[in-house]
Amino acid sequence: MKKRLISLLAIALVVCTCLPMVAHAADKITITSAKSDSAAAGKKALAECAVENLRSSVEGGLWYMGDTTSAPDDDSDAQPGERYLTLGLSQAADISSIKIQWYQGGSAVDDVKATKQRAYIFRIEASADGTKFTQIYPASGDAKSGKGSDFEEYACTFSNAVAVRVVGKGSEDGLYDSGDKNGERDEVSDKFFAIRNIEVWGTGKGGSGYNAGGSTVNPGSSGGTNTNTPTGGNGGGNAAPTGDFENILLFAGIAVVACAAVVIIRKKLRER
C-alpha cells in the first residue's frame, strides 16, 4: 500500500513539474510599432489600426487596409501586386504562432460580422534585425485565409525575432455588402487586404526590440502613446522573461530532485 502511495506521489510530482512548462509555452508578445510600405487606404486604416494597443493612437481608427495597387515606398521590396504590414516587437522573441483576425465586415464599435466572405492571399515573414526577412508561413508560396470573423492562428517558428510582417496580395470572393442578392463579386475590394487585429505569440527573450515606424506605445502603460524611439519598447521596465531553453533546464532540475526524493523515501521504507 505504501509503495503504491509513493508511486502515485511520484507521478503527481512529475505532472506538477510539467504543467508550468506547458502553461508558459507561449505568451503574447507586445507589438510597439506598425508601418505599411505604402500610403494607407484611408485616414482610419493606418498600420497601427491592426494592433489593439496601437489603435488608440489613430483618431477614429478602425482596421488596417493595404492597397496592393498603390505606389510602394522607396525602400519597399514587395513585388508588383502586393503590399506589406511591418510590426516592431517590444523585445526579441522566439515566435511560435501568429494570430490574425481578418476584416470581414462590421465596424470598430458594433459586433464583428462575416458578411464580406473574403479569402485573403498572404504570407508571413520575420526578421532578427528588422532588415532581412525570412518567410515563416506558409513554408513556401502563399496561403489563403478562411472567410470567418474569428482569429485564425498560424503555427510558425522563428528564433530571436524583433519584427514580423504580413505580405498581402489582396483577396478573393469578396461580396458586396448590399449586393449579396445576386452574389456579385466586389472587384474593387479585391485589391485590398484588411486586418482587424493581429497578435504575435511566443517566448520573450528580452532586449530592446525594434521600431518599425509610426507611433509607439510603452508596453508598461495602458495604451498611452509617445513619440518614436529608435529601438521600440523595453517591456515596460519588467525583467526579461526566461527563454524556453532556460525553462526546460529549470523544470528538468526540479523533476530530477523530485524523483530523487521519491527514491530515497522508498529506500527508507524498505529498510524498515
Side-chain angles (χ1 to χ4, degrees), residues 32-165:
T32 52
S33 57
K35 185 180 185 301
S36 179
D37 70 332
S38 66
K43 293 181 179 179
K44 298 181 180 181
L46 298 176
E48 290 87 351
C49 296
V51 185
E52 185 176 9
N53 59 291
L54 297 179
R55 193 175 299 120
S56 60
S57 66
V58 179
E59 185 177 356
L62 298 174
W63 49 80
Y64 166 71
M65 184 174 288
D67 186 346
T68 61
T69 63
S70 63
D73 294 342
D74 292 338
D75 60 351
S76 174
D77 57 3
Q79 299 300 309
E82 63 183 30
R83 291 275 72 78
Y84 56 75
L85 169 69
T86 302
L87 309 171
L89 306 183
S90 62
Q91 60 180 307
D94 290 343
I95 294 173
S96 59
S97 70
I98 306 294
K99 296 181 181 181
I100 300 178
Q101 184 184 33
W102 300 96
Y103 174 70
Q104 295 289 359
S107 71
V109 295
D110 63 17
D111 293 334
V112 177
K113 302 175 182 178
T115 57
K116 294 189 179 297
Q117 300 179 8
R118 292 173 180 160
Y120 290 92
I121 312 302
F122 72 101
R123 66 178 183 271
I124 302 173
E125 302 175 345
S127 173
D129 60 7
T131 302
K132 181 181 179 181
F133 283 81
T134 301
Q135 181 167 333
I136 60 174
Y137 187 88
S140 61
D142 298 315
K144 183 183 292 188
S145 76
K147 299 180 181 181
S149 57
D150 295 329
F151 272 99
E152 295 184 8
E153 184 170 11
Y154 308 107
C156 47
T157 58
F158 191 87
S159 299
N160 297 312
V162 296
V164 171
R165 73 182 182 190

Side-chain angles (χ1 to χ4, degrees), residues 217-262:
V217 170
N218 180 357
S221 71
S222 59
T225 58
N226 52 25
T227 57
N228 292 347
T229 57
T231 57
N234 62 0
N238 298 325
T242 306
D244 278 340
F245 182 69
E246 291 82 359
N247 280 333
I248 291 173
L249 289 179
L250 174 63
F251 294 128
I254 295 173
V256 169
V257 172
C259 291
V262 171

Side-chain angles (χ1 to χ4, degrees), residues 189-207:
S189 70
D190 289 349
K191 67 180 182 178
F192 294 110
F193 78 105
I195 295 175
R196 184 182 284 273
N197 285 299
I198 185 168
E199 298 175 352
V200 177
W201 288 79
T203 301
K205 308 299 287 291

